[in-house]
Amino acid sequence: MVPAAPAAPSAPAILPDLYLGSETAPVTIYEYASFTCSHCAAFHRDVFPKLKAEYIDTGKVRFIAREFPLDPLSAAGFMLARCDDESKWYPIVDMLYKTQEGWA
């Protein structure tokens, strides 16, 4: 009996960018963040609301957050955020940062 040839490895899946703001905004900001990073949480808590109100919501900036997990716990958080539809990603991210001290 001849063994079957191994299956060819599939190409890695690339997660789509999830963004806030207008696709035609003149400026795009990319954030690379980890849910367990205290600095990322401080940015999200203290700076992001003003950035969103003054630049994202007014069409001046498109904001793209990308996962950069520093540990398995952060990776699990990002997987959780990606489990639901795309419209809930940013609310889940917001909840995880606001409760970071309790779970991280």
Side-chain angles (χ1 to χ4, degrees):
M1 174 178 259
V2 177
S10 59
I14 297 175
L15 296 172
D17 281 332
L18 302 174
Y19 64 89
L20 291 176
S22 171
E23 282 189 55
T24 60
V27 174
T28 299
I29 296 174
Y30 292 89
E31 174 197 32
Y32 289 84
S34 176
F35 282 140
T36 55
C37 171
S38 61
H39 303 288
C40 295
F43 168 79
H44 191 79
R45 180 187 61 244
D46 302 333
V47 177
F48 186 75
K50 187 173 182 177
L51 175 72
K52 184 175 182 308
E54 292 183 17
Y55 295 96
I56 298 168
D57 293 344
T58 61
K60 297 174 185 170
V61 166
R62 179 171 68 151
F63 184 85
I64 298 173
R66 290 187 174 166
E67 295 96 334
F68 192 80
L70 298 175
D71 53 54
L73 194 55
S74 180
F78 283 117
M79 286 188 277
L80 174 69
R82 289 262 184 184
C83 281
D84 213 331
D85 70 49
E86 293 178 3
S87 68
K88 294 182 182 169
W89 195 83
Y90 278 99
I92 292 170
V93 166
D94 185 50
M95 182 268 307
L96 289 172
Y97 277 129
K98 284 181 180 177
T99 60
Q100 182 193 64
E101 288 185 25
W103 62 266

